[in-house]
Amino acid sequence: MHVLITGGAGFLGSHLVDRFLKDGHSVVAMDNLITGSTDKFAHLSGHDRFTFIKHNVINYIYLQEDLDAVLHFASPASPKDYLEHPIHTLKVGSLGTLNALGIAKAKNARFLLASTSEVYGDPQVNPQPEDYWGHVNPIGPRGVYDEAKRFAEAMTMAYHRYHGLETRIVRIFNTYGPRMRLNDGRVVPNFIHQALNNRPITIYGDGSQTRSFQYFSDLVEGVCRLLMSNESRPVNIGNPNEMTISDFADAVLEVAHSDSKIIHMEPTDDRIIDDPKMRRPDISFAREVLGWEPEVSLADGLAMTIEYFRKRVR
Ligand code: UDP
């Protein structure tokens, strides 16, 4: 297959680049490098099935070659990043999705949208199944990401229904692993960075809010299975192992063998506004239609991630 991956220089995009190359496909990675970095391709220098194009997908996408699949992963995804780039986040989820759908249609390629558990907002149902419509504040600071992704899902389904385009939608729950940016502001790099430097672990609020963390390789496998499936309805891909942020802090301290103290704080920016109080994927549908479930435990995933960060922290 010839595959285009938008956001290919990002955390998940770059892991997908590696997976598709490993499976023998040709890959074009496209990224405007706002939050991505070409460092993630250092090991691919000279690879004859890999091309990188620096391009902002909110502008028209032109490619001469044929494509079999378009994976649309371009977007800031960390609350810190999308609060710093609110208008760009709205544009990449709307105009960027339109352009990515447009090139998929022009090339008669299959389209896969990277959506998110944020479409459920601050959910009032736990765990979240795909048929839950969510609880989103459209005008809150997180609305720029949540509503852009909800629009992107609506646009994807419109191309599917109106144009008959083969489309897939993956709703990605919190995912971590090597190649996350140390300073992306999310809880996994923050806590690991702090633990490795013996600095205080910064829990926002009382730490009773929950998340469910999946290792990146489980997500990559789920995305590949979804792309090759016949399922056009959204599919949750995440690890149902739900825990409080306080328990997550303890897990990081234990795996990192760190003596960092834990402090509770309120961030000075808007990122804690509408912070979801609970989040856990219902993965029954992924099990049923993809035969997929996560394989990497939190202890193993954290150990591999901490190993990666240890080489980069000082
Ligand atoms: N969080 C925290 N300390 C940090 C960073 C994040 O307590 O240094 C909390 C944050 O308030 C949220 C959870 O960890 O409840 C996950 O935040 P993250 O930014 O990783 O992503 P989200 O799941 O909110 O998109």
Side-chain angles (χ1 to χ4, degrees), residues 98-258:
L98 180 62
N99 289 328
L101 281 160
I103 192 166
K105 176 169 167 279
K107 305 284 185 185
N108 201 18
R110 196 169 277 207
F111 178 84
L112 185 143
L113 172 69
S115 186
T116 166
S117 53
E118 283 282 333
V119 299
Y120 302 121
D122 184 7
Q124 295 176 311
V125 168
N126 201 38
Q128 295 84 51
E130 288 85 349
D131 57 8
Y132 176 52
W133 290 354
H135 181 233
V136 173
N137 175 3
I139 57 163
R142 280 180 181 253
V144 299
Y145 185 62
D146 302 10
E147 296 294 9
K149 289 291 189 181
R150 288 167 71 97
F151 176 91
E153 289 198 7
M155 182 68 98
T156 301
M157 290 310 296
Y159 265 68
H160 176 66
R161 294 196 181 104
Y162 187 75
H163 290 307
L165 190 70
E166 285 274 2
T167 58
R168 310 285 178 263
I169 298 174
V170 55
R171 290 188 180 150
I172 301 170
F173 283 66
N174 293 67
T175 306
Y176 69 97
R179 299 191 192 166
M180 291 185 97
R181 285 181 2 255
L182 263 177
N183 61 348
D184 89 355
R186 282 187 279 197
V187 69
V188 175
N190 270 14
F191 284 6
I192 293 179
H193 201 174
Q194 291 157 350
L196 293 179
N197 282 321
N198 287 315
R199 289 206 318 263
I201 303 284
T202 54
I203 292 182
Y204 300 161
D206 67 4
S208 65
Q209 68 272 40
T210 67
R211 292 296 186 272
S212 311
F213 297 98
Q214 85 176 317
Y215 194 59
F216 81 90
S217 56
D218 286 328
L219 181 275
V220 167
E221 178 63 27
V223 166
C224 289
R225 287 190 192 202
L226 177 60
L227 181 69
M228 302 321 288
S229 78
N230 291 320
E231 188 53 66
S232 56
R233 289 168 293 181
V235 181
N236 289 340
I237 297 287
N239 193 315
N241 178 21
E242 180 183 11
M243 65 186 64
T244 64
I245 291 301
S246 291
D247 286 344
F248 181 65
D250 291 339
V252 170
L253 289 178
E254 187 179 326
V255 181
H257 305 293
S258 167

Side-chain angles (χ1 to χ4, degrees), residues 271-311:
R271 78 186 82 155
I272 202 131
I273 297 176
D274 301 331
D275 194 11
K277 285 177 273 308
M278 53 193 183
R279 182 182 291 157
R280 172 186 181 179
D282 181 334
I283 60 166
S284 319
F285 193 50
R287 280 199 183 100
E288 181 192 324
V289 295
L290 308 179
W292 174 91
E293 59 187 347
E295 288 183 347
V296 181
S297 69
L298 184 70
D300 289 349
L302 272 183
M304 291 184 274
T305 309
I306 287 169
E307 178 64 22
Y308 169 85
F309 279 108
R310 211 182 275 282
K311 296 185 190 130

